[in-house]
Amino acid sequence: MKLYSFFRSSTSFRLRIALAWKGLPAEILGVSLPGMAHKDPAFLALNPQGLVPALVDDDGTVVTQSLAMIEWLDEKYPAQPLMPAGIDERWYVRAISQIIGCEIHPVNNVRVLKYIKSALNATPEQSQEWYEHWIREGLAGLESFLLAQKRHGKFCLGEQFTLADVCLVPQIYNAKRFNCDLTPYPTVMGIFARCDALDCVRSTEPETQADKS
């Protein structure tokens, strides 16, 4: 398999974690977002959205959109599953994944921050406040959800490492990079710390990537 990835992309990080957890070898091909490599015609032929990640399976199948990609991997390569067996548990894992992937990540994506700066003339301080606002909103909601559901343990779902944890790790990495105060979210941060000790995370974190610049 070939994974088109950018080292600092949260969504690319998700795929790197998932592949490592499942023990699936993949050639990591760096796509420089600052260098606009994602707008190159050759890459657009793989993913017309011009976004990372994109995964090319060994049979030539191309898949995109990280949440869908990871569920696709889970169905095609079921060993070391990232989705639980029970329907209620799958809802719960998808709910957490979408809290992060649909409600937190999109509004603090680099594309959004760049637009705020260029089109709306936001100062660096205003951009930072925008970012921190949505981190506070999102993580406060996630903390409350975890406490209300009472399904968490070592990971978001008890002792099982799932898609929810795969989504959580890169979002916290990103928030730490922007120096956000994460102390109000002890449940979230406890889960993050336990995930961060796993080999599948340590071996795929942004600082380990060949395209790190």
Side-chain angles (χ1 to χ4, degrees):
M1 285 187 280
K2 295 181 179 180
L3 176 66
Y4 292 82
S5 166
F6 179 59
F7 79 101
R8 211 160 49 205
S9 156
S10 297
T11 50
S12 296
F13 192 4
R14 293 173 194 167
L15 264 293
R16 296 195 303 264
I17 294 170
L19 288 165
W21 172 257
K22 297 177 80 65
L24 296 172
E27 179 184 4
I28 307 295
L29 301 172
V31 179
S32 173
L33 301 186
M36 301 301 290
H38 57 302
K39 298 300 184 183
D40 185 272
F43 183 72
L44 290 172
L46 288 174
N47 185 359
Q49 276 192 291
L51 301 174
V52 290
L55 181 70
V56 183
D57 198 12
D58 52 14
D59 64 3
T61 301
V62 180
V63 290
T64 60
Q65 287 295 330
S66 63
L67 297 182
M69 293 165 79
I70 293 169
E71 289 212 44
W72 176 87
L73 280 173
D74 226 37
E75 292 177 16
K76 189 164 185 178
Y77 302 97
Q80 290 286 96
L82 286 165
M83 291 298 293
I87 187 170
D88 291 342
E89 290 77 14
R90 288 200 303 276
W91 158 76
Y92 171 79
V93 165
R94 288 185 178 119
I96 293 175
S97 303
Q98 290 180 30
I99 288 171
I100 297 165
C102 302
E103 296 180 19
I104 306 176
H105 174 257
V107 291
N108 57 58
N109 189 283
V110 170
R111 291 182 297 155
V112 174
L113 295 176
K114 283 184 176 179
Y115 181 82
I116 290 171
K117 291 176 183 177
S118 63
L120 303 180
N121 298 314
T123 65
E125 293 76 17
Q126 289 170 325
S127 296
Q128 178 72 16
E129 174 52 32
W130 167 277
Y131 184 92
E132 291 185 22
H133 170 79
W134 294 113
I135 288 294
R136 289 192 299 268
E137 287 278 315
L139 292 186
L142 177 56
E143 181 83 6
S144 297
F145 183 81
L146 288 166
L147 293 174
Q149 286 291 316
K150 297 182 175 63
R151 297 173 189 247
H152 65 281
K154 181 178 181 180
F155 302 118
C156 288
L157 179 63
E159 301 299 299
Q160 185 176 356
F161 185 73
T162 68
L163 174 60
D165 305 293
V166 171
C167 290
L168 177 64
V169 168
Q171 185 62 68
I172 298 301
Y173 262 79
N174 207 21
K176 287 165 75 73
R177 185 167 70 89
F178 279 85
N179 299 312
C180 294
D181 178 12
L182 300 173
T183 55
Y185 322 111
T187 307
V188 169
M189 294 308 295
I191 293 169
F192 168 77
R194 293 184 286 274
C195 292
D196 196 37
L198 297 174
D199 287 342
C200 65
V201 173
R202 290 194 174 277
S203 65
T204 58
E205 61 189 8
E207 293 77 10
T208 69
Q209 298 305 295
D211 64 325
K212 179 181 181 295
S213 58

